């Protein structure tokens, strides 16, 4: 691709497992503003790879809510559920190089291997099935991606908002799943392949996914792809300090649209992000010219309902 043809490309990739809440909208807004401020294109991808939880009606609601908010996309929607053959081909490349192996462990098996000091909720796979001889187990198995041996799996990258990050894949992540035991595609593989093949140059998302970035950088490089830039943003939290989720029903888009106009919601989020000095009504388009990541803080944002 010549420089003349190069264009920045961002994306929003929601999972259609429920209605968007204000935290999802916050991520979508900053992703949209960041790429539009660079004169780039915004791609919509529906991450519906979980067959048990994904619903087309939720995908339709998400798209309707984005359009209502003025967050229109330039390409898509692309549905991951239609891209299985692509993921299969990329997984085979890894398997041919011995980069993957079947894992028969249950979640209980894995939790039983965690040390007492690992109390932050992070589960690091210890490689129980890594060197199993073929034929020693039967039944359904997940497929895991091998990470380098300890001391050799250091990934350093510069986050667009939180600065330089250094992660040891071996001790902080472990061999990670690229295909689930039920045959569904795992998030890490699907997102890496799609970001690469869709030409995504910038990924903007909540800081709760920061630890996914080194895994995705590693996987992208092993597949011969150039990883995108990663920019993580502070989380919107409820008054108890918990990240907003689908349990906060009063802050989902169904409830919000019954009480507010789109400009009210965009104005509040812009104010909370530091992009304007008061929660004045504003459209997303009106925020593009003044958008700057330097205005946005790094601390999570407590949202007090009115």
């Amino acid at each position: 691709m010549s420089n003349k043809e190069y264009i920045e490309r961002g994306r929003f990739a929601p999972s259609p497992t429920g209605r968007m809440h204000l935290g999802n909208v916050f991520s979508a807004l900053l992703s949209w503003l960041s790429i539009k401020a660079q004169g780039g294109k915004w791609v919509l991808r529906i991450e519906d790879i979980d067959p048990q939880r994904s619903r087309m009606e939720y995908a339709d609601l998400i798209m309707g809510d984005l359009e209502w908010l003025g967050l229109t996309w330039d390409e898509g929607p692309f549905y991951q559920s239609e891209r299985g053959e692509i993921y299969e081909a990329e997984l085979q490349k890894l398997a041919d190089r011995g980069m993957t192996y079947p894992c028969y462990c249950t979640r209980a098996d894995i939790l039983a291997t965690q040390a007492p000091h690992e109390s932050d909720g992070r589960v690091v796979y210890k490689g129980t099935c890594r060197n199993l001889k073929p034929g020693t187990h039967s039944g359904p198995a997940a497929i895991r991606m091998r990470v380098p041996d300890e001391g050799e799996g250091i990934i350093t990258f510069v986050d667009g908002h939180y600065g330089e990050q250094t992660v040891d894949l071996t001790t902080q992540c472990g061999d990670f799943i690229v295909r689930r035991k039920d045959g569904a595609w795992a998030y890490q593989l699907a997102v890496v392949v799609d970001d690469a093949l869709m030409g995504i140059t910038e990924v903007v998302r909540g800081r709760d996914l920061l630890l996914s970035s080194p895994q995705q950088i590693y996987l992208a490089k092993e597949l011969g792809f150039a990883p995108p830039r990663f920019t993580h943003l502070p989380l919107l939290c409820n008054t108890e300090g918990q990240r907003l989720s689908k349990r906060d029903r009063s802050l989902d888009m169904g409830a919000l649209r019954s009480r507010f106009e789109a400009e009210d919601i965009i104005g509040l989020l812009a104010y909370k992000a530091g992009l304007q000095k008061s929660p004045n009504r504003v459209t997303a388009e009106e925020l593009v010219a003044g958008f700057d990541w330097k205005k946005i803080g790094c601390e999570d944002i407590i949202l007090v309902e009115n």
Side-chain angles (χ1 to χ4, degrees), residues 4-288:
K4 186 177 291 187
E5 296 171 322
Y6 181 82
I7 188 168
E8 296 287 348
R9 294 164 66 83
R11 51 85 162 168
F12 182 55
S15 298
T17 57
R19 192 89 184 247
M20 282 201 302
H21 56 70
L22 206 56
N24 303 135
V25 177
F26 189 55
S27 292
L29 174 63
L30 294 189
S31 170
W32 189 91
L33 289 173
S34 182
I35 208 67
K36 292 298 179 181
Q38 300 171 68
K41 291 188 175 183
W42 201 55
V43 178
L44 178 63
R45 185 170 73 226
I46 304 297
E47 298 198 338
D48 57 344
I49 49 175
D50 188 333
Q52 296 178 335
R53 299 175 62 222
S54 298
R55 299 287 184 272
M56 181 59 73
E57 56 264 35
Y58 289 138
D60 291 340
L61 283 170
I62 289 167
M63 289 187 280
D65 288 337
L66 290 173
E67 290 179 323
W68 182 79
L69 289 162
L71 302 178
T72 53
W73 52 96
D74 301 293
E75 296 179 18
F78 300 103
Y79 294 87
Q80 286 189 327
S81 60
E82 299 174 355
R83 298 172 62 80
E85 291 184 4
I86 298 171
Y87 308 143
E88 189 81 60
E90 296 301 326
L91 180 60
Q92 190 60 50
K93 293 177 185 177
L94 298 171
D96 289 346
R97 294 170 48 213
M99 297 293 297
T100 63
Y101 62 89
C103 173
Y104 301 90
C105 295
T106 65
R107 182 166 178 80
D109 294 334
I110 296 168
L111 289 174
T113 68
Q114 303 302 295
H117 68 274
E118 295 167 339
S119 57
D120 60 357
R122 184 187 306 161
V123 176
V124 178
Y125 184 65
K126 303 298 185 181
T128 306
C129 293
R130 185 183 250 239
N131 299 310
L132 284 180
K133 293 181 180 179
T136 55
H137 279 69
S138 61
I143 304 298
R144 288 188 182 271
M145 175 77 179
R146 296 178 186 270
V147 300
D149 294 332
E150 189 167 353
E152 299 176 5
I154 307 297
I155 300 288
T156 298
F157 69 100
V158 178
D159 182 79
H161 193 50
Y162 288 94
E164 184 172 295
Q165 307 288 319
T166 298
V167 172
D168 186 333
L169 287 176
T170 315
T171 59
Q172 293 179 259
C173 301
D175 296 341
F176 53 90
I177 291 176
V178 286
R179 192 165 196 174
R180 294 185 349 192
K181 191 176 290 188
D182 62 3
W185 295 103
Y187 167 74
Q188 303 293 17
L189 179 72
V191 74
V192 166
V193 172
D194 285 345
D195 283 346
L197 298 185
M198 294 176 186
I200 302 303
T201 59
E202 177 183 78
V203 171
V204 174
R205 59 192 181 190
R207 67 160 188 83
D208 54 321
L209 289 171
L210 221 160
L211 194 60
S212 283
S213 297
Q215 297 173 69
Q216 291 168 13
I217 290 168
Y218 171 67
L219 184 51
K221 290 180 176 178
E222 289 298 327
L223 287 169
F225 300 136
R229 301 186 310 276
F230 292 97
T231 300
H232 292 81
L233 48 96
L235 303 178
L236 286 190
C237 298
N238 60 26
T239 51
E240 297 175 358
Q242 300 168 318
R243 174 174 62 90
L244 292 188
S245 70
K246 294 180 177 66
R247 64 174 172 264
D248 298 288
R249 296 300 299 274
S250 62
L251 294 176
D252 80 12
M253 284 300 296
L256 292 170
R257 286 182 67 166
S258 70
R259 298 169 58 199
F260 304 104
E261 297 296 323
E263 293 81 359
D264 297 319
I265 296 171
I266 298 295
L268 173 65
L269 292 177
Y271 168 64
K272 290 293 185 180
L275 297 175
Q276 58 178 12
K277 295 182 179 179
S278 61
N280 292 339
R281 288 165 51 91
V282 69
T283 65
E285 190 65 45
E286 290 169 332
L287 292 170
V288 173

